[in-house]
Amino acid sequence: MNDVLNGRFSIIETVSENRLYKAVDTATGKMAAVKKWVNEDSYYKAELKALKTFKHLNVPQFICNFEEDGEKYVAAEWLDGAPPLQFSSPKETINLAVKIAEFVSVITSTMSYIHGDIKPSNLIVQNGEVYFIDFECSVALDV
């Protein structure tokens, strides 16, 4: 693998299983999450379509997609946060549940989507906000 993908994303670290990379977008100087697929399967298509479709405050901003050496990639905004694994109070738990419910309501009613895999590892908490990631299992509703 190259240290620079698509002539644009300079890899800083491999985050998971040689599939998700934290990189610097050399075009903007901002951090990016770059996710790799070995082939163009339904999970790749779902993730790409969802990230291109969602224009929501609680979803990482789509940057681009590209192909290199027969592998597919999707780049999105990097979030410096962590999954909500432990809460210090019931109030924090309730706050998270409310934010999840609000997001689910918005994407199902106005964007006609189902996330399909909401769980702690697919949520990032950053500066008190909850962000939804990993849209591989998302489904567009036929409305």
Side-chain angles (χ1 to χ4, degrees), residues 88-136:
S88 61
S89 71
K91 183 177 179 179
E92 284 183 329
T93 304
I94 292 168
N95 186 38
L96 177 66
V98 167
K99 289 181 180 192
I100 291 171
E102 288 171 348
F103 177 76
V104 169
S105 175
V106 167
I107 68 167
T108 55
S109 64
T110 63
M111 296 180 206
S112 300
Y113 258 88
I114 295 174
H115 182 283
D117 196 20
I118 294 177
K119 59 187 178 187
S121 62
N122 288 341
L123 303 172
I124 300 286
V125 178
Q126 176 180 286
N127 300 326
E129 283 297 319
V130 178
Y131 294 87
F132 296 79
I133 60 170
D134 198 353
F135 292 91
E136 291 183 359

Short mmCIF file of all heavy atoms in Angstrom, two decimals, residues 88-136:
data_model
loop_
_atom_site.label_atom_id
_atom_site.label_comp_id
_atom_site.label_asym_id
_atom_site.label_seq_id
_atom_site.Cartn_x
_atom_site.Cartn_y
_atom_site.Cartn_z
N SER A 88 -21.03 8.79 32.72
CA SER A 88 -20.82 9.13 34.13
C SER A 88 -22.13 9.40 34.86
O SER A 88 -22.15 9.46 36.06
CB SER A 88 -19.89 10.34 34.25
OG SER A 88 -20.46 11.46 33.61
N SER A 89 -23.23 9.53 34.09
CA SER A 89 -24.50 9.81 34.76
C SER A 89 -25.68 9.35 33.90
O SER A 89 -25.55 9.22 32.68
CB SER A 89 -24.63 11.31 35.00
OG SER A 89 -24.86 11.99 33.78
N PRO A 90 -26.82 9.12 34.54
CA PRO A 90 -28.04 8.79 33.78
C PRO A 90 -28.41 9.91 32.82
O PRO A 90 -28.94 9.65 31.74
CB PRO A 90 -29.10 8.62 34.87
CG PRO A 90 -28.34 8.27 36.10
CD PRO A 90 -27.03 9.01 35.98
N LYS A 91 -28.12 11.15 33.18
CA LYS A 91 -28.43 12.29 32.31
C LYS A 91 -27.70 12.17 30.97
O LYS A 91 -28.27 12.44 29.92
CB LYS A 91 -28.06 13.59 33.01
CG LYS A 91 -28.42 14.82 32.21
CD LYS A 91 -28.10 16.08 32.99
CE LYS A 91 -28.44 17.31 32.15
NZ LYS A 91 -28.17 18.55 32.84
N GLU A 92 -26.43 11.74 31.00
CA GLU A 92 -25.67 11.55 29.76
C GLU A 92 -26.28 10.45 28.91
O GLU A 92 -26.36 10.57 27.68
CB GLU A 92 -24.21 11.19 30.07
CG GLU A 92 -23.36 12.35 30.51
CD GLU A 92 -21.92 11.94 30.73
OE1 GLU A 92 -21.67 10.78 31.12
OE2 GLU A 92 -21.05 12.79 30.50
N THR A 93 -26.72 9.37 29.54
CA THR A 93 -27.35 8.26 28.82
C THR A 93 -28.64 8.73 28.15
O THR A 93 -28.89 8.43 26.98
CB THR A 93 -27.65 7.10 29.79
OG1 THR A 93 -26.44 6.72 30.43
CG2 THR A 93 -28.23 5.91 29.05
N ILE A 94 -29.45 9.47 28.87
CA ILE A 94 -30.70 9.98 28.32
C ILE A 94 -30.42 10.96 27.17
O ILE A 94 -31.07 10.90 26.12
CB ILE A 94 -31.55 10.64 29.42
CG1 ILE A 94 -32.05 9.57 30.39
CG2 ILE A 94 -32.72 11.43 28.83
CD1 ILE A 94 -32.65 10.11 31.66
N ASN A 95 -29.43 11.82 27.33
CA ASN A 95 -29.05 12.78 26.30
C ASN A 95 -28.66 12.04 25.01
O ASN A 95 -29.08 12.41 23.92
CB ASN A 95 -27.92 13.68 26.80
CG ASN A 95 -27.59 14.78 25.82
OD1 ASN A 95 -28.46 15.35 25.19
ND2 ASN A 95 -26.31 15.07 25.70
N LEU A 96 -27.86 10.99 25.14
CA LEU A 96 -27.46 10.21 23.97
C LEU A 96 -28.67 9.56 23.31
O LEU A 96 -28.82 9.61 22.09
CB LEU A 96 -26.43 9.14 24.36
CG LEU A 96 -26.00 8.22 23.23
CD1 LEU A 96 -25.23 9.00 22.16
CD2 LEU A 96 -25.17 7.08 23.76
N ALA A 97 -29.55 8.98 24.11
CA ALA A 97 -30.75 8.32 23.56
C ALA A 97 -31.62 9.31 22.80
O ALA A 97 -32.14 9.00 21.73
CB ALA A 97 -31.54 7.65 24.70
N VAL A 98 -31.76 10.51 23.33
CA VAL A 98 -32.56 11.55 22.66
C VAL A 98 -31.93 11.93 21.33
O VAL A 98 -32.61 12.05 20.31
CB VAL A 98 -32.75 12.78 23.58
CG1 VAL A 98 -33.30 13.97 22.81
CG2 VAL A 98 -33.65 12.44 24.75
N LYS A 99 -30.60 12.11 21.32
CA LYS A 99 -29.92 12.49 20.07
C LYS A 99 -30.03 11.38 19.02
O LYS A 99 -30.20 11.67 17.83
CB LYS A 99 -28.46 12.84 20.36
CG LYS A 99 -28.34 14.15 21.10
CD LYS A 99 -26.90 14.53 21.38
CE LYS A 99 -26.89 15.86 22.12
NZ LYS A 99 -25.58 16.46 22.20
N ILE A 100 -29.94 10.13 19.46
CA ILE A 100 -30.10 9.02 18.52
C ILE A 100 -31.52 9.03 17.95
O ILE A 100 -31.71 8.91 16.73
CB ILE A 100 -29.78 7.67 19.19
CG1 ILE A 100 -28.29 7.58 19.48
CG2 ILE A 100 -30.23 6.50 18.31
CD1 ILE A 100 -27.90 6.39 20.35
N ALA A 101 -32.51 9.19 18.81
CA ALA A 101 -33.91 9.21 18.35
C ALA A 101 -34.15 10.36 17.38
O ALA A 101 -34.83 10.19 16.36
CB ALA A 101 -34.85 9.31 19.55
N GLU A 102 -33.60 11.53 17.66
CA GLU A 102 -33.77 12.68 16.77
C GLU A 102 -33.15 12.40 15.40
O GLU A 102 -33.75 12.67 14.36
CB GLU A 102 -33.13 13.93 17.38
CG GLU A 102 -33.89 14.50 18.56
CD GLU A 102 -33.12 15.60 19.29
OE1 GLU A 102 -31.91 15.79 19.05
OE2 GLU A 102 -33.76 16.27 20.13
N PHE A 103 -31.95 11.83 15.40
CA PHE A 103 -31.28 11.52 14.14
C PHE A 103 -32.07 10.49 13.34
O PHE A 103 -32.30 10.66 12.14
CB PHE A 103 -29.86 11.01 14.40
CG PHE A 103 -29.14 10.60 13.15
CD1 PHE A 103 -28.63 11.56 12.29
CD2 PHE A 103 -28.98 9.26 12.82
CE1 PHE A 103 -27.96 11.19 11.13
CE2 PHE A 103 -28.32 8.88 11.67
CZ PHE A 103 -27.81 9.84 10.83
N VAL A 104 -32.50 9.42 13.99
CA VAL A 104 -33.27 8.38 13.31
C VAL A 104 -34.55 8.96 12.72
O VAL A 104 -34.91 8.66 11.59
CB VAL A 104 -33.57 7.20 14.27
CG1 VAL A 104 -34.59 6.25 13.67
CG2 VAL A 104 -32.28 6.46 14.62
N SER A 105 -35.19 9.83 13.46
CA SER A 105 -36.41 10.47 12.97
C SER A 105 -36.14 11.30 11.72
O SER A 105 -36.88 11.23 10.74
CB SER A 105 -37.00 11.35 14.07
OG SER A 105 -38.11 12.06 13.59
N VAL A 106 -35.06 12.05 11.73
CA VAL A 106 -34.72 12.91 10.58
C VAL A 106 -34.38 12.07 9.36
O VAL A 106 -34.88 12.32 8.27
CB VAL A 106 -33.56 13.87 10.92
CG1 VAL A 106 -33.00 14.53 9.67
CG2 VAL A 106 -34.02 14.93 11.90
N ILE A 107 -33.51 11.07 9.51
CA ILE A 107 -33.11 10.33 8.30
C ILE A 107 -34.24 9.47 7.74
O ILE A 107 -34.30 9.27 6.54
CB ILE A 107 -31.82 9.50 8.49
CG1 ILE A 107 -31.99 8.34 9.44
CG2 ILE A 107 -30.65 10.38 8.88
CD1 ILE A 107 -30.84 7.34 9.39
N THR A 108 -35.12 8.98 8.61
CA THR A 108 -36.22 8.18 8.08
C THR A 108 -37.32 9.04 7.47
O THR A 108 -37.87 8.70 6.43
CB THR A 108 -36.83 7.24 9.15
OG1 THR A 108 -37.23 8.01 10.27
CG2 THR A 108 -35.86 6.17 9.55
N SER A 109 -37.61 10.19 8.08
CA SER A 109 -38.73 11.00 7.58
C SER A 109 -38.34 11.95 6.46
O SER A 109 -39.07 12.08 5.49
CB SER A 109 -39.37 11.79 8.72
OG SER A 109 -38.45 12.71 9.27
N THR A 110 -37.19 12.60 6.55
CA THR A 110 -36.84 13.58 5.51
C THR A 110 -35.87 13.05 4.47
O THR A 110 -35.86 13.52 3.34
CB THR A 110 -36.25 14.87 6.12
OG1 THR A 110 -35.04 14.56 6.80
CG2 THR A 110 -37.22 15.53 7.06
N MET A 111 -35.06 12.07 4.82
CA MET A 111 -34.09 11.53 3.87
C MET A 111 -34.48 10.14 3.39
O MET A 111 -33.81 9.58 2.52
CB MET A 111 -32.70 11.50 4.49
CG MET A 111 -32.17 12.87 4.82
SD MET A 111 -30.53 12.71 5.56
CE MET A 111 -30.48 14.21 6.51
N SER A 112 -35.53 9.56 3.98
CA SER A 112 -36.01 8.23 3.60
C SER A 112 -34.92 7.16 3.66
O SER A 112 -34.70 6.41 2.71
CB SER A 112 -36.65 8.26 2.21
OG SER A 112 -37.73 9.15 2.20
N TYR A 113 -34.22 7.12 4.80
CA TYR A 113 -33.14 6.16 5.01
C TYR A 113 -33.29 5.46 6.35
O TYR A 113 -33.86 6.01 7.29
CB TYR A 113 -31.78 6.87 5.04
CG TYR A 113 -31.01 6.73 3.76
CD1 TYR A 113 -31.18 7.63 2.72
CD2 TYR A 113 -30.08 5.71 3.60
CE1 TYR A 113 -30.46 7.52 1.56
CE2 TYR A 113 -29.36 5.59 2.43
CZ TYR A 113 -29.54 6.49 1.41
OH TYR A 113 -28.84 6.37 0.26
N ILE A 114 -32.71 4.27 6.44
CA ILE A 114 -32.52 3.57 7.70
C ILE A 114 -31.02 3.36 7.83
O ILE A 114 -30.36 2.89 6.89
CB ILE A 114 -33.25 2.21 7.71
CG1 ILE A 114 -34.76 2.42 7.64
CG2 ILE A 114 -32.86 1.39 8.93
CD1 ILE A 114 -35.56 1.15 7.49
N HIS A 115 -30.45 3.70 9.00
CA HIS A 115 -29.01 3.52 9.22
C HIS A 115 -28.65 2.04 9.16
O HIS A 115 -27.70 1.65 8.49
CB HIS A 115 -28.58 4.12 10.57
CG HIS A 115 -27.12 4.01 10.84
ND1 HIS A 115 -26.52 2.85 11.25
CD2 HIS A 115 -26.14 4.94 10.77
CE1 HIS A 115 -25.22 3.04 11.41
NE2 HIS A 115 -24.96 4.31 11.13
N GLY A 116 -29.38 1.21 9.87
CA GLY A 116 -29.21 -0.23 9.79
C GLY A 116 -28.23 -0.85 10.77
O GLY A 116 -28.18 -2.08 10.89
N ASP A 117 -27.44 -0.04 11.47
CA ASP A 117 -26.44 -0.64 12.37
C ASP A 117 -26.02 0.35 13.46
O ASP A 117 -24.83 0.57 13.68
CB ASP A 117 -25.22 -1.08 11.56
CG ASP A 117 -24.31 -2.04 12.33
OD1 ASP A 117 -24.76 -2.64 13.31
OD2 ASP A 117 -23.13 -2.15 11.94
N ILE A 118 -27.00 0.93 14.15
CA ILE A 118 -26.67 1.87 15.22
C ILE A 118 -26.28 1.07 16.45
O ILE A 118 -27.06 0.27 16.97
CB ILE A 118 -27.85 2.82 15.54
CG1 ILE A 118 -28.09 3.73 14.34
CG2 ILE A 118 -27.55 3.65 16.79
CD1 ILE A 118 -29.28 4.66 14.49
N LYS A 119 -25.04 1.28 16.88
CA LYS A 119 -24.48 0.64 18.07
C LYS A 119 -23.34 1.54 18.55
O LYS A 119 -22.89 2.42 17.81
CB LYS A 119 -23.99 -0.77 17.76
CG LYS A 119 -22.92 -0.83 16.66
CD LYS A 119 -22.59 -2.25 16.29
CE LYS A 119 -21.54 -2.28 15.16
NZ LYS A 119 -21.32 -3.63 14.67
N PRO A 120 -22.88 1.36 19.78
CA PRO A 120 -21.85 2.27 20.30
C PRO A 120 -20.62 2.43 19.40
O PRO A 120 -20.12 3.55 19.25
CB PRO A 120 -21.48 1.65 21.65
CG PRO A 120 -22.75 0.99 22.09
CD PRO A 120 -23.34 0.43 20.81
N SER A 121 -20.16 1.36 18.78
CA SER A 121 -18.96 1.49 17.95
C SER A 121 -19.21 2.26 16.66
O SER A 121 -18.25 2.65 15.97
CB SER A 121 -18.38 0.11 17.63
OG SER A 121 -19.30 -0.67 16.89
N ASN A 122 -20.48 2.52 16.30
CA ASN A 122 -20.80 3.31 15.12
C ASN A 122 -21.26 4.71 15.46
O ASN A 122 -21.89 5.39 14.65
CB ASN A 122 -21.85 2.60 14.26
CG ASN A 122 -21.27 1.40 13.56
OD1 ASN A 122 -20.06 1.28 13.41
ND2 ASN A 122 -22.11 0.49 13.14
N LEU A 123 -20.96 5.12 16.69
CA LEU A 123 -21.22 6.48 17.16
C LEU A 123 -19.92 7.08 17.64
O LEU A 123 -19.09 6.40 18.22
CB LEU A 123 -22.22 6.47 18.31
CG LEU A 123 -23.58 5.82 18.07
CD1 LEU A 123 -24.36 5.74 19.37
CD2 LEU A 123 -24.36 6.59 17.02
N ILE A 124 -19.74 8.35 17.38
CA ILE A 124 -18.58 9.09 17.87
C ILE A 124 -19.11 10.28 18.66
O ILE A 124 -19.95 11.03 18.16
CB ILE A 124 -17.69 9.61 16.72
CG1 ILE A 124 -17.16 8.45 15.86
CG2 ILE A 124 -16.56 10.47 17.25
CD1 ILE A 124 -16.08 7.63 16.49
N VAL A 125 -18.63 10.44 19.87
CA VAL A 125 -18.98 11.61 20.67
C VAL A 125 -17.78 12.55 20.64
O VAL A 125 -16.67 12.17 20.98
CB VAL A 125 -19.34 11.22 22.13
CG1 VAL A 125 -19.66 12.47 22.94
CG2 VAL A 125 -20.51 10.26 22.15
N GLN A 126 -18.05 13.76 20.18
CA GLN A 126 -17.00 14.78 20.06
C GLN A 126 -17.59 16.11 20.53
O GLN A 126 -18.60 16.56 19.98
CB GLN A 126 -16.54 14.89 18.60
CG GLN A 126 -15.54 15.98 18.34
CD GLN A 126 -15.12 16.02 16.88
OE1 GLN A 126 -14.37 15.18 16.44
NE2 GLN A 126 -15.63 16.99 16.13
N ASN A 127 -16.98 16.69 21.53
CA ASN A 127 -17.44 17.98 22.08
C ASN A 127 -18.93 17.96 22.43
O ASN A 127 -19.65 18.91 22.15
CB ASN A 127 -17.14 19.12 21.10
CG ASN A 127 -15.67 19.26 20.81
OD1 ASN A 127 -14.82 19.02 21.67
ND2 ASN A 127 -15.35 19.62 19.59
N GLY A 128 -19.38 16.86 23.01
CA GLY A 128 -20.77 16.77 23.44
C GLY A 128 -21.78 16.43 22.35
O GLY A 128 -22.96 16.25 22.62
N GLU A 129 -21.34 16.36 21.12
CA GLU A 129 -22.23 16.02 20.01
C GLU A 129 -22.04 14.55 19.63
O GLU A 129 -20.95 14.00 19.75
CB GLU A 129 -21.93 16.89 18.77
CG GLU A 129 -22.48 18.28 18.87
CD GLU A 129 -23.99 18.33 18.97
OE1 GLU A 129 -24.69 17.57 18.27
OE2 GLU A 129 -24.48 19.15 19.76
N VAL A 130 -23.10 13.94 19.15
CA VAL A 130 -23.06 12.55 18.70
C VAL A 130 -23.03 12.53 17.18
O VAL A 130 -23.86 13.19 16.53
CB VAL A 130 -24.29 11.77 19.21
CG1 VAL A 130 -24.26 10.34 18.70
CG2 VAL A 130 -24.36 11.80 20.71
N TYR A 131 -22.08 11.78 16.63
CA TYR A 131 -21.96 11.65 15.18
C TYR A 131 -22.18 10.18 14.81
O TYR A 131 -21.75 9.28 15.52
CB TYR A 131 -20.58 12.10 14.71
CG TYR A 131 -20.37 13.57 14.93
CD1 TYR A 131 -19.88 14.05 16.14
CD2 TYR A 131 -20.69 14.49 13.94
CE1 TYR A 131 -19.70 15.41 16.35
CE2 TYR A 131 -20.51 15.85 14.14
CZ TYR A 131 -20.02 16.29 15.35
OH TYR A 131 -19.85 17.63 15.57
N PHE A 132 -22.83 9.97 13.69
CA PHE A 132 -23.16 8.64 13.22
C PHE A 132 -22.22 8.28 12.07
O PHE A 132 -22.04 9.06 11.14
CB PHE A 132 -24.62 8.59 12.75
CG PHE A 132 -25.57 8.85 13.88
CD1 PHE A 132 -25.80 10.14 14.34
CD2 PHE A 132 -26.19 7.80 14.51
CE1 PHE A 132 -26.65 10.39 15.41
CE2 PHE A 132 -27.05 8.03 15.58
CZ PHE A 132 -27.28 9.32 16.03
N ILE A 133 -21.60 7.10 12.19
CA ILE A 133 -20.65 6.64 11.18
C ILE A 133 -21.03 5.24 10.73
O ILE A 133 -21.93 4.62 11.28
CB ILE A 133 -19.20 6.66 11.71
CG1 ILE A 133 -19.04 5.74 12.93
CG2 ILE A 133 -18.78 8.08 12.06
CD1 ILE A 133 -17.60 5.52 13.37
N ASP A 134 -20.31 4.74 9.75
CA ASP A 134 -20.44 3.37 9.24
C ASP A 134 -21.83 3.11 8.70
O ASP A 134 -22.71 2.55 9.35
CB ASP A 134 -20.09 2.36 10.33
CG ASP A 134 -19.79 0.99 9.73
OD1 ASP A 134 -19.97 0.81 8.51
OD2 ASP A 134 -19.38 0.09 10.48
N PHE A 135 -22.02 3.52 7.46
CA PHE A 135 -23.32 3.39 6.80
C PHE A 135 -23.39 2.21 5.84
O PHE A 135 -24.19 2.19 4.92
CB PHE A 135 -23.65 4.70 6.07
CG PHE A 135 -23.92 5.83 7.03
CD1 PHE A 135 -22.89 6.66 7.45
CD2 PHE A 135 -25.18 6.04 7.53
CE1 PHE A 135 -23.14 7.69 8.35
CE2 PHE A 135 -25.43 7.07 8.43
CZ PHE A 135 -24.41 7.89 8.84
N GLU A 136 -22.53 1.20 6.05
CA GLU A 136 -22.51 0.04 5.19
C GLU A 136 -23.83 -0.71 5.15
O GLU A 136 -24.16 -1.34 4.14
CB GLU A 136 -21.42 -0.94 5.64
CG GLU A 136 -20.02 -0.45 5.41
CD GLU A 136 -18.98 -1.48 5.82
OE1 GLU A 136 -19.32 -2.56 6.30
OE2 GLU A 136 -17.79 -1.16 5.67
#
